Each structure stands twice: as structure tokens, then as C-alpha cells.
């Protein structure tokens, strides 16, 4: 029986490896910075041998974890060897070890050019593993919802039909068939809702503003909430982000409203969608219980992480805080592509990031 919360052990392995890889990368970067600072300070700081050993150990472990990426593994092995020789040189003070270390690090610098595409995969593996874990989690939730809502009711309907047929009573059979027809209609609606949750085609068909408005109305009707929808901006009916940005905004709105239903114990929700030439802003405010006294110290759940990742994937920002009068304020800002490109060029005249009220 799948309840949507059980995950196989193999689903946790990529996340563990990704976390270990991220830790090795962080140790390597910190140690390299410490080594450089100590070098410039003429050894007035703690011994450089600690930094060199840390880089050697971290890159060595990372090389062992890098499977299937030969160039990245060779590059990490060169860096590991170079810093291992440097750590030995701190005690040996030999010209030969100096030359060997320089040879390894120079070879690594040259080899970094062809190995860079694979190194980008290594550097992003932690985030990718976390995304895989999130997908596994949502797959479990989807399986649990199908099992609990659809499969069990269909099985119950089948038993009722079998029982009515065994009685050999036309009235009982007719009543069972009517009940089965109503159940099938209800489950067809359930399946449509699940399909719309997994793949909201309305975002492409209706446009973002209309889709978010429809989503807010649906959640209000299903859960007895009062949801006020406020669409503002230069072109409220177009919200002319590309499909990826539109879908990301829709998903953030969907997750924020779902969190209100599940956790906030709220009665009134305000959804503000601001569509401008330079970006799209979404704010969801409720009058519920809020995030608690110390929300930054609490670990983010899948919902908060998912909303944050969607914003960061498109160069945007995400924030969730407790409102001054109680309740929670979730705010997401997505710069549009043309704005991101102009900002990436830099220089004078670069437009500032999009700013939205609230």
C-alpha cells in the first residue's frame, strides 16, 4: 500500500552522494582561499599544510565520487596530487617537490579547459540530486492520491455491483448501477484535477493571469476559503513571460495556496499578481497562524524548497515571512528574459532588478 510518503532506499542514495559532493566542493573552495590568503600574508596565519591537506582530501574524495566523467576525475586527481605534494613540501622543503607540485597544478590548469563541461556537471550534482529527491517525493504523493481516492472507490464500486448482481434483484442492481455511475463521474473529476495539477495546460492556453485566477477560485471553492485576486501591472492580461517563467509562477502560486490549505488554518487569502515589462511578481498573503517565532532556523520543507528553486532557476528571488498582523506572506519575483540579458551585460545604464510593492 502506497501512502505517498514511503520512498525506496535507492532514492536517498543520490541525495546523500550529492550532499557529500557539495561538502567536498565547499571544503576545497574554503581551503584554496585560506591557502591563498596565507600565501599573501607570508605565513603569518596558521600553517598552509592544513589548507593543502584539506584540498587534497576533498578533491580526492570528490574524484572517487565522480563516476562516468573521466575528464573531471582526471582533473580532480591532478589537483589532489598537486596539493598533496605541496603539503609534503611544507615538511621536506625540497626543490624537487616544488617542481612536482607546480607540474601537477600546471597540468590541471591546462586540462581544465577540455574538462570544464564535465566539471560543471560535478558542481551542479548536489542541486540535481536534490531535485531528483523532490521528484521522487511528488511521485509518491501522486501514487498515494491515486490509491487513496481513485483506486479504493473503484474497488468499492466493483464490490457493490457484484453484491447487487448476486442478489438477482433488478431494483438493487439498478440502484448499484446508478451509484456506480455517480462514482465514476466523481472519479473522472478527481483524475482531471490530478492531471491539471501535474501538467497545467491552461497556462499556455489561457495565459498566466487567467490561469492563476482560475486556480485561486478553484481552491477557494473546494476548501471554503475567501480568496481575493488582484492583477496589476503594465499588461495584466498578457503577463508576457515565456512559457517556462509562466509555469514557474503558476507552480509557486499553486504551492503557496496548497500550503495555506494544509498548514495555515486561514480564512482569507489575497493573491497579488503584478505583470510588468521587466518582470512578474507574485504575493500570497493569508490571515492564518504564520511561520512561528523563528522561521529562518526551521528547515524548509519540500514546498518551500520547491518554490525557492523555481524562482532561482529563472534568476528570481523568493521570500516567506510572518506578516505583521499574523499570517504568512509568500513573495516571488521573476525577472523576464530581456531584463536578465540586459543586466548580464553590465555597465552604465543597466536596469535595476524589478521591484514590486509589498
Amino acid at each position: 500500500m502506497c501512502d505517498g510518503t514511503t520512498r525506496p532506499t535507492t532514492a536517498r542514495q543520490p541525495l546523500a552522494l550529492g550532499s557529500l559532493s557539495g561538502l567536498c566542493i565547499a571544503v576545497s573552495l574554503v581551503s584554496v582561499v585560506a591557502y591563498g590568503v596565507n600565501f599573501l600574508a607570508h605565513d603569518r596565519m596558521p600553517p598552509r599544510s592544513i589548507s593543502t591537506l584539506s584540498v587534497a582530501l576533498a578533491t580526492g574524495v570528490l574524484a572517487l565520487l565522480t563516476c562516468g566523467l573521466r575528464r573531471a576525475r582526471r582533473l580532480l586527481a591532478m589537483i589532489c596530487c598537486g596539493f598533496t605534494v605541496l603539503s609534503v613540501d611544507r615538511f621536506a622543503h625540497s626543490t624537487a617537490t616544488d617542481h612536482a607540485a607546480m607540474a601537477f597544478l600546471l597540468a590541471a590548469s591546462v586540462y581544465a579547459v577540455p574538462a570544464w563541461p564535465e566539471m560543471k556537471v560535478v558542481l551542479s550534482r548536489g542541486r540535481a540530486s536534490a531535485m531528483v529527491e523532490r521528484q521522487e517525493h511528488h511521485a509518491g504523493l501522486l501514487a498515494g492520491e491515486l490509491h487513496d481516492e481513485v483506486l479504493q472507490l473503484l474497488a468499492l464500486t466493483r464490490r457493490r455491483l457484484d453484491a447487487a448482481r448476486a442478489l438477482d434483484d433488478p431494483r438493487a442492481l439498478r440502484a448499484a448501477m446508478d451509484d456506480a455511475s455517480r462514482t465514476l463521474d466523481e472519479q473522472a473529476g478527481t483524475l482531471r484535477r490530478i492531471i491539471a495539477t501535474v501538467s497545467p495546460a491552461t497556462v499556455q492556453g489561457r495565459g498566466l493571469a487567467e490561469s492563476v485566477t482560475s486556480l485561486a477560485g478553484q481552491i477557494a471553492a473546494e476548501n471554503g476559503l475567501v480568496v481575493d485576486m488582484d492583477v496589476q501591472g503594465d499588461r495584466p492580461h498578457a503577463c508576457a513571460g515565456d512559457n517556462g517563467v509562466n509555469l514557474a509562477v503558476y507552480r509557486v502560486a499553486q504551492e503557496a495556496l496548497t500550503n495555506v490549505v494544509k498548514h495555515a488554518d486561514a480564512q482569507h487569502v489575497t493573491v497579488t499578481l503584478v505583470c510588468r515589462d521587466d518582470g512578474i511578481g507574485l504575493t500570497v498573503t493569508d490571515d492564518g497562524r504564520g511561520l512561528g517565532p523563528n522561521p529562518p532556523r526551521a528547515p524548509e520543507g519540500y514546498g518551500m524548497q520547491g518554490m525557492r528553486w523555481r524562482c532561482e532557476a529563472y534568476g528570481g528571488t523568493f521570500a516567506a515571512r510572518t506578516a505583521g498582523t499574523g499570517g504568512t506572506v509568500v513573495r516571488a519575483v521573476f525577472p523576464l528574459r530581456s531584463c536578465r540579458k540586459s543586466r548580464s551585460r553590465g555597465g552604465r545604464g543597466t536596469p535595476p532588478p524589478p521591484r514590486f510593492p509589498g
Side-chain angles (χ1 to χ4, degrees):
M1 179 175 178
C2 178
D3 60 359
T5 59
T6 303
R7 296 191 300 272
T9 304
T10 54
R12 300 188 184 97
Q13 293 176 355
L15 181 62
L17 292 177
S19 301
L20 183 58
S21 298
L23 177 62
C24 292
I25 293 170
V27 171
S28 300
L29 293 176
V30 171
S31 300
V32 167
V33 172
Y35 179 86
V37 171
N38 196 14
F39 180 81
L40 295 175
H42 302 291
D43 288 340
R44 287 195 292 266
M45 299 178 68
R48 271 185 278 166
S49 56
I50 298 177
S51 301
T52 53
L53 282 174
S54 299
V55 175
L57 180 61
T59 52
V61 173
L62 195 58
L64 293 177
L65 296 176
T66 305
C67 301
L69 302 173
R70 295 183 178 179
R71 291 181 175 178
R73 174 174 281 188
R74 293 192 193 108
L75 177 60
L76 291 169
M78 292 177 189
I79 297 174
C80 177
C81 292
F83 277 92
T84 300
V85 174
L86 277 178
S87 63
V88 173
D89 182 58
R90 296 297 298 168
F91 303 100
H93 300 288
S94 170
T95 304
T97 55
D98 284 341
H99 292 167
M102 292 302 297
F104 276 118
L105 295 179
L106 182 60
S109 301
V110 175
Y111 194 72
V113 176
W116 177 241
E118 292 186 359
M119 281 303 301
K120 288 195 294 185
V121 176
V122 175
L123 296 174
S124 63
R125 183 166 288 177
R127 177 62 60 85
S129 299
M131 291 297 292
V132 169
E133 177 77 359
R134 175 175 166 79
Q135 290 173 355
E136 292 289 340
H137 172 77
H138 282 291
L141 291 179
L142 179 60
E145 192 166 1
L146 288 173
H147 178 274
D148 296 339
E149 291 197 26
V150 180
L151 186 60
Q152 290 189 3
L153 284 177
L154 291 179
L156 179 61
T157 302
R158 173 65 184 271
R159 286 196 295 270
R160 288 175 179 173
L161 288 173
D162 290 342
R165 186 168 54 186
L167 293 175
D168 197 18
D169 183 353
R171 292 183 178 179
L173 182 59
R174 187 177 300 110
M177 292 177 64
D178 292 340
D179 183 64
S181 179
R182 288 192 296 270
T183 300
L184 290 175
D185 289 339
E186 292 174 359
Q187 295 313 303
T190 300
L191 290 175
R192 291 191 190 97
R193 176 177 57 81
I194 294 174
I195 291 171
T197 301
V198 174
S199 179
T202 55
V203 176
Q204 287 79 21
R206 296 180 181 177
L208 178 60
E210 187 175 353
S211 297
V212 174
T213 302
S214 175
L215 172 68
Q218 177 185 346
I219 290 181
E222 292 177 352
N223 299 280
L225 292 173
V226 177
V227 180
D228 292 336
M229 187 73 201
D230 182 16
V231 180
Q232 307 173 6
D234 304 327
R235 37 188 175 187
H237 300 292
C239 269
D242 58 32
N243 287 336
V245 174
N246 287 345
L247 183 57
V249 177
Y250 181 90
R251 290 297 194 192
V252 171
Q254 186 179 51
E255 184 63 39
L257 290 171
T258 301
N259 285 346
V260 171
V261 173
K262 290 183 177 180
H263 309 296
D265 193 21
Q267 301 297 322
H268 186 272
V269 184
T270 300
V271 179
T272 304
L273 182 66
V274 182
C275 306
R276 293 181 177 171
D277 291 333
D278 59 349
I280 299 173
L282 174 73
T283 305
V284 179
T285 307
D286 66 70
D287 62 352
R289 63 185 64 179
L291 297 176
N294 298 308
R297 297 182 181 180
E300 288 187 343
Y302 283 104
M304 287 290 186
Q305 289 179 354
M307 289 188 285
R308 186 178 303 280
W309 289 341
R310 290 184 190 280
C311 293
E312 292 176 353
Y314 290 94
T317 58
F318 173 82
R321 60 179 175 83
T322 299
T325 57
T328 304
V329 179
V330 172
R331 190 164 178 268
V333 176
F334 293 81
L336 293 184
R337 178 173 298 176
S338 58
C339 182
R340 293 198 303 271
K341 286 182 178 179
S342 60
R343 285 204 305 273
S344 65
R345 288 194 293 266
R348 295 184 178 179
T350 300
R355 299 180 61 87
F356 297 94

